[in-house]
Amino acid sequence: MQQLLAFSRIIDGLNTFIGRTVGWLILAAVAVSAGNALMRKMFSQSSNAWLELQWYLFGAVFLLCAGYALLKDAHVRIDVLSARLSKRRRDWIDVFGHIFFLAPLCLIILYEGIPFFIRSYLSGENSGNAGGLILWPAKLLVPLGFGLLLIPFVWNRHINRIEAGILLVAYIAFIVATVVL
């Protein structure tokens, strides 16, 4: 169990580093958006590349910081219901939701997203917009983001929150859920 907890701390550190670092891309997205707006209003010039870069930056923050948000328990909940439940019950709801909804979704998106990215990369796919950017970096963000979301789910959330016996039951249910899907 000690090795799992040590590995969990490494995963936590990785997601914290990525979350804190990539979060700054919001500032870059705002700067690109403001610069594009100024160019359009002041000089009547605009660029699809700048608009697409803004989308790429926002997508990078959203996808790559999702694991960090899960780690910090900053994801969306129904607080009206959650506040009325005991911590143990909230933990069980989290375990259930993560095993039967989050993990299968991440696995499906990884399964579909990796070939999606590879096809785009190998073909050198470009944006359909005039002056647009290449698409494979944005498509790479999809499997990266969901992979970063899945890793702390498997290691951190359930090693730190529930006892070892419950962990075993949770992983058996996880395996059953992924086989069924």
Side-chain angles (χ1 to χ4, degrees):
M1 190 68 157
Q2 291 301 339
Q3 288 102 354
L4 290 177
L5 289 172
F7 187 66
S8 174
R9 285 189 289 275
I10 291 169
I11 297 297
D12 289 353
L14 174 67
N15 259 317
T16 299
F17 174 77
I18 290 170
R20 288 184 176 169
T21 304
V22 172
W24 283 99
L25 291 180
I26 286 291
L27 184 60
V30 168
V32 167
S33 176
N36 199 26
L38 286 172
M39 290 297 291
R40 192 173 53 249
K41 294 296 181 186
M42 293 174 64
F43 303 107
S44 297
Q45 292 185 343
S46 185
S47 167
N48 284 332
W50 287 107
L51 185 59
E52 289 181 12
L53 178 62
Q54 175 188 334
W55 296 339
Y56 284 18
L57 292 170
F58 179 75
V61 171
F62 179 79
L63 288 165
L64 299 178
C65 290
Y68 179 64
L70 183 65
L71 173 70
K72 295 299 181 184
D73 224 15
H75 53 289
V76 176
R77 280 207 173 90
I78 303 172
D79 289 335
V80 175
L81 299 175
S82 181
R84 296 179 187 194
L85 301 174
S86 69
K87 176 158 175 34
R88 185 164 177 83
R89 184 159 289 175
R90 285 192 311 264
D91 287 348
W92 273 106
I93 290 170
D94 279 351
V95 168
F96 179 82
H98 293 160
I99 289 172
F100 292 104
F101 297 106
L102 178 65
L105 175 70
C106 287
L107 290 171
I108 290 167
I109 290 178
L110 283 170
Y111 179 78
E112 295 292 334
I114 292 170
F116 179 65
F117 154 69
I118 291 171
R119 280 190 305 273
S120 179
Y121 178 77
L122 292 176
S123 70
E125 185 178 10
N126 285 314
S127 170
N129 297 319
L133 302 175
I134 55 174
L135 290 178
W136 68 261
K139 291 184 177 185
L140 174 61
L141 292 172
V142 174
L144 278 179
F146 280 91
L148 287 171
L149 185 59
L150 184 63
I151 292 170
F153 153 72
V154 171
W155 288 104
N156 178 40
R157 302 289 296 171
H158 304 293
I159 289 173
N160 291 333
R161 289 184 117 191
I162 57 180
E163 297 85 10
I166 297 171
L167 181 65
L168 179 62
V169 172
Y171 281 118
I172 291 170
F174 172 73
I175 291 167
V176 168
T178 54
V179 168
V180 169
L181 292 174

